[in-house]
Amino acid sequence: MLATNRQKAFGLIGLFILLLTAMWMSVVYGYTDTNWRQAIAALIDNNGSNAHLVVATVRLPRALIAAAVGASLAMAGALMQALTRNPLASPGIFGINAGAGFFIVVMVTFFSISSLQMLSWVAFIGAAAAAAIVFVISAAGKDGLTPLKMTLAGTAVAALFASLTQGMLAMNEKALEEVLFWLAGSVAGRKLELLAAVFPYLAAAWLGAMLLARHVNILMMGDDVAKGLGQRTNVIKAAAALLVVLLAGGSVAVAGPIGFIGIMVPHMARALAGIDHRWLLPYCALLGGILLLAADIGARYVLMPREVPVGIVTALIGVPFFVYIARRGITAK
Amino acid sequence: MKKYVTVRMGSYVSFFYDKKAAVVIAAFGAAAVLLFLISIGSGEMRISPLEAAAALLGYGEEIHQTVILTFRLPRVLVAWLAGMALAAAGAILQGMVRNPLASPDVLGITGGAAAAVVAFLALFSDENNSLTVSIHWLPLAAFLGATAAAWFVYMLAWKNGLAPLRLVLIGIGISALMQALTTLLMIVGPIYRASQANVWITGSVYGASWQHVSFMAPSIIGLLLMAMLAARHVNVQELGGELAIGLGSAVERQRLGLVLLSTALTGGAVAFAGGIGFVGLMAPHMARRLVGSAFGALLPTAALLGGVLVMGADLAGRMLLAPTEIPAGVFTAALGAPYFIYLLYQSRKA
């Protein structure tokens, strides 16, 4: 664990360099191997050759999307874990990914919507709806909001949305192959315009999360203490929930439901940088980007020449982590 | 009038039940038969239940007999058997784990069976999507997958004993893992092209044939009978480990047997009807509401209820948006997920 602010700042710089390295590797390595000379040439002086085309239209968008989505999911996970005091909280487990996915498939199937702008809005609405449902369900009942009830309610809501999505796809065979790949979560073959459509929201949410970090720290001391210190806890909670919806909804709109980044990364970041959210959140962003980039590079090599959706790779890495946290025990508040 | 009736046959079969349970079981039996007749009569060609019954017995119009005997009967039978198997598996698990949220889906057992079935189809399919080995091996694959998943969950959840909630959480994790593996295998294997695989994963009895029934019926019915024989052990298990040991039960050995029994039931259902979700969770619960938790009455009630649920889900899926078919699993999930949430809301100690 990095103790002083100086060490933490150096850690951040180190992670940033690592992120750039991962992005560079993501651009260069894959089925069509290129090298850094070609990559730079493709950006500055694109001569339309095959290698240059691959870099400019496929690899670079993919690397940027992976970095943005990984960062957003990790930050969403960190905020959710703080908000619910549940170490298993994350957009995937709480049904937010599945909810956004469901709404998107409904819109594509029944209303033939394909405008990217519209789809990103649909994803936000779906994420918000799923989050609201899970929250209401777990707040109801005899002993209110316990971490365990939230986890179980989230799983049930996720299962419901996933099953309804599957059902719609089974009816609509034409859309299946494309959407199946999208539903598994992938950053491959996504256009840069897709990222551009949601980037303003993601960037606003990153900034908002950083501004909120101080308040989240106070909230972590418990509602009563926070109130005693003069915090309007409900306002802070609502703001954090809005940020989660923006981060998770935007990620799903671009890359489909990629699971487990939101669970894993905050725990890793906490081990490195401690529990102060002013440090934790940027660590999450960088680590999340690095992890998703690495998983995506790995996904290219598992079944060469075919690709595996990166959501499968993150699940394969993430489940052992999930099991470890579940074994360590989640405390019922 | 006595409230309970004791049933004893030899030294192995012995259980008692509420008289009300007998009425409930009879009612569900009747409902199953009625739904069965409606279901085989419904579809593009409508046949009234009476005519359907006549056709079954070999009377009536020839075209009715053909439609019913060749196409609809196997499908409805597979739905019925799968529903019974899943519900019975859920009832055994819930009794054993003593947690109302336990079910083959939540514990990842269904997911394990599904992953194994997809692996089987992916590994043993040729270019033309036809199987290179007999389909009779499919249930074995499903059983092995279910067992492997159950074993994983059991092992990972063990930590100075088996806390039910840890079991459920680990089950959720292993389910996710199995889902990832299934998707991976669907992409690797030639069945990626066949959209039928997706229908199958959701849980559908579409295209079931007599070949399926002839293989499924004896194994599922045999397993259900074994479950009835094991009923008294489940009753003791439900008292909790220490009390059960005190009563002289070989607790661990019985647990192993019961887990194997419920994984076999789940595997058999998933092999032929796909991942029909939430039946193993819902049916035992509703049955417990109706007849109480004495297992001799609970098991048949739950099984009949499960059969009715899946048959009904299949019927609804065929009729609602005809001619488009909605997989039965969509309906069971649409019913089951809210029910799961309701249970969560109800449970006092979370």
Side-chain angles (χ1 to χ4, degrees):
Chain A
M1 187 167 148
L2 307 166
T4 64
N5 282 354
R6 207 186 145 94
Q7 285 174 343
K8 285 177 190 172
F10 274 120
L12 268 188
I13 294 169
L15 283 180
F16 188 69
I17 294 169
L18 209 57
L19 180 75
L20 290 180
T21 315
M23 285 180 77
W24 171 72
M25 284 173 68
S26 175
V27 170
V28 172
Y29 294 117
Y31 185 57
T32 316
D33 265 328
T34 53
N35 56 48
W36 63 273
R37 268 180 239 277
Q38 280 175 313
I40 292 171
L43 297 178
I44 302 169
D45 176 29
N46 196 320
N47 63 10
S49 73
N50 208 12
H52 284 194
L53 266 179
V54 166
V55 168
T57 61
V58 180
R59 291 284 173 72
L60 193 69
R62 184 172 181 168
L64 290 172
I65 288 173
V69 166
S72 302
L73 287 174
M75 283 174 98
L79 286 176
M80 290 176 79
Q81 289 176 12
L83 212 59
T84 63
R85 299 205 184 91
N86 179 350
L88 291 177
S90 75
I93 294 292
F94 274 27
I96 292 180
N97 285 349
F102 169 75
F103 273 66
I104 285 183
V105 175
V106 168
M107 287 297 157
V108 172
T109 312
F110 293 112
F111 302 96
S112 313
I113 287 177
S114 49
S115 129
L116 299 177
Q117 216 76 37
M118 281 296 279
L119 280 184
S120 60
W121 278 110
V122 170
F124 289 137
I125 295 169
I133 293 172
V134 172
F135 186 80
V136 168
I137 290 167
S138 39
K142 292 202 173 66
D143 35 30
L145 212 68
T146 67
L148 191 84
K149 258 164 81 182
M150 285 191 105
T151 309
L152 293 177
T155 320
V157 170
L160 180 61
F161 279 132
S163 156
L164 292 176
T165 308
Q166 293 272 321
M168 275 188 302
L169 292 177
M171 286 185 290
N172 183 4
E173 290 179 14
K174 272 177 287 176
L176 179 79
E177 276 203 25
E178 229 171 290
V179 189
L180 187 67
F181 208 81
W182 182 80
L183 275 180
S186 173
V187 290
R190 303 295 202 266
K191 299 251 162 41
L192 206 52
E193 293 94 73
L194 211 56
L195 179 63
V198 294
F199 191 76
Y201 308 110
L202 293 184
W206 297 340
L207 200 67
M210 286 313 297
L211 292 175
L212 205 67
R214 210 162 47 85
H215 302 285
V216 175
N217 283 342
I218 295 170
L219 195 65
M220 289 286 284
M221 296 179 202
D223 278 22
D224 295 335
V225 178
K227 273 182 195 147
L229 288 170
Q231 189 180 67
R232 289 155 73 189
T233 50
N234 285 335
V235 175
I236 300 300
K237 281 180 185 169
L242 177 71
L243 292 176
V244 167
V245 167
L246 285 179
L247 292 166
S251 303
V252 183
V254 180
I258 294 177
F260 291 98
I261 295 275
I263 288 194
M264 282 189 283
V265 174
H267 289 273
M268 297 175 181
R270 244 175 257 129
L272 270 176
I275 54 165
D276 181 349
H277 282 76
R278 283 171 301 181
W279 287 108
L280 184 63
L281 287 168
Y283 266 86
C284 280
L286 292 175
L287 279 172
I290 293 166
L291 191 65
L292 193 56
L293 279 164
D296 181 48
I297 296 167
R300 298 173 202 175
Y301 287 96
V302 177
L303 285 180
M304 202 87 160
R306 266 182 298 183
E307 295 209 359
V308 176
V310 69
I312 293 175
V313 179
T314 57
L316 295 180
I317 316 169
V319 166
F321 203 88
F322 180 94
V323 167
Y324 164 72
I325 300 168
R327 269 181 71 84
R328 210 175 51 183
I330 74 176
T331 45
K333 194 180 83 180
Chain B
M1 210 164 92
K2 273 201 302 186
K3 191 178 171 203
Y4 293 106
V5 180
T6 309
V7 176
R8 233 185 257 287
M9 287 181 268
S11 57
Y12 285 100
V13 185
S14 99
F15 54 90
F16 66 94
Y17 58 82
D18 208 316
K19 270 191 185 158
K20 198 177 93 191
V23 178
V24 171
I25 290 172
F28 272 117
V33 172
L34 190 65
L35 190 61
F36 181 80
L37 290 178
I38 294 173
S39 193
I40 56 173
S42 303
E44 214 165 301
M45 177 190 275
R46 283 176 183 270
I47 304 168
S48 78
L50 268 181
E51 283 176 308
L56 274 185
L57 299 171
Y59 301 100
E61 291 176 48
E62 202 164 312
I63 180 99
H64 285 178
Q65 291 193 21
T66 316
V67 168
I68 287 182
L69 293 179
T70 332
F71 299 112
R72 293 193 187 149
L73 195 54
R75 174 183 187 148
V76 174
L77 282 174
V78 165
W80 188 55
L81 288 167
M84 288 207 297
L86 288 171
I92 294 171
L93 283 177
Q94 287 179 7
M96 204 188 85
V97 180
R98 292 200 293 156
N99 185 323
L101 298 177
S103 79
D105 329 310
V106 177
L107 295 187
I109 298 175
T110 317
V117 170
V118 174
F120 179 86
L121 294 174
L123 286 175
F124 298 112
S125 283
D126 59 19
E127 309 289 285
N128 312 316
N129 275 342
S130 49
L131 280 180
T132 51
V133 294
S134 163
I135 194 164
H136 286 145
W137 294 103
L138 191 66
L140 181 68
F143 173 67
L144 290 178
T147 316
W151 184 81
F152 254 129
V153 173
Y154 201 90
M155 281 300 159
L156 289 172
W158 184 273
K159 185 182 173 187
N160 302 324
L162 208 65
L165 287 175
R166 194 163 50 235
L167 195 69
V168 171
L169 281 179
I170 304 271
I172 289 171
I174 297 299
S175 294
L177 184 67
M178 292 301 163
Q179 226 164 19
L181 281 178
T182 307
T183 317
L184 184 63
L185 288 162
M186 277 172 77
I187 292 167
V188 183
I191 54 162
Y192 178 44
R193 280 178 287 134
S195 66
Q196 223 184 330
N198 194 50
V199 177
W200 182 87
I201 295 291
T202 314
S204 171
V205 288
Y206 177 80
S209 70
W210 279 112
Q211 200 192 0
H212 294 164
V213 178
S214 67
F215 199 75
M216 195 176 170
S219 45
I220 298 279
I221 291 172
L223 287 166
L224 285 173
L225 288 175
M226 280 167 69
M228 280 309 291
L229 291 179
R232 55 182 189 158
H233 299 311
V234 181
N235 279 335
V236 177
Q237 288 275 345
E238 233 173 346
L239 298 172
E242 281 168 25
L243 199 49
I245 291 171
L247 285 172
S249 273
V251 172
E252 290 302 332
R253 212 178 59 207
Q254 286 169 10
R255 268 194 193 152
L256 185 68
L258 291 171
V259 168
L260 283 177
L261 197 57
S262 58
T263 48
L265 281 163
T266 310
V270 174
F272 293 108
I276 293 183
F278 289 100
V279 176
L281 181 90
M282 272 189 293
H285 248 278
M286 297 174 164
R288 188 168 288 129
R289 284 280 160 89
L290 290 167
V291 300
S293 56
F295 207 73
L298 179 65
L299 185 74
T301 314
L304 285 169
L305 195 55
V308 167
L309 274 175
V310 178
M311 261 200 291
D314 177 47
L315 182 63
R318 272 189 287 161
M319 303 307 293
L320 229 54
L321 287 180
T324 309
E325 298 218 1
I326 306 168
V330 173
F331 284 97
T332 56
L335 277 177
Y339 195 78
F340 181 85
I341 289 163
Y342 164 75
L343 289 178
L344 202 60
Y345 170 77
Q346 286 267 308
S347 66
R348 279 149 210 268
K349 35 178 185 174

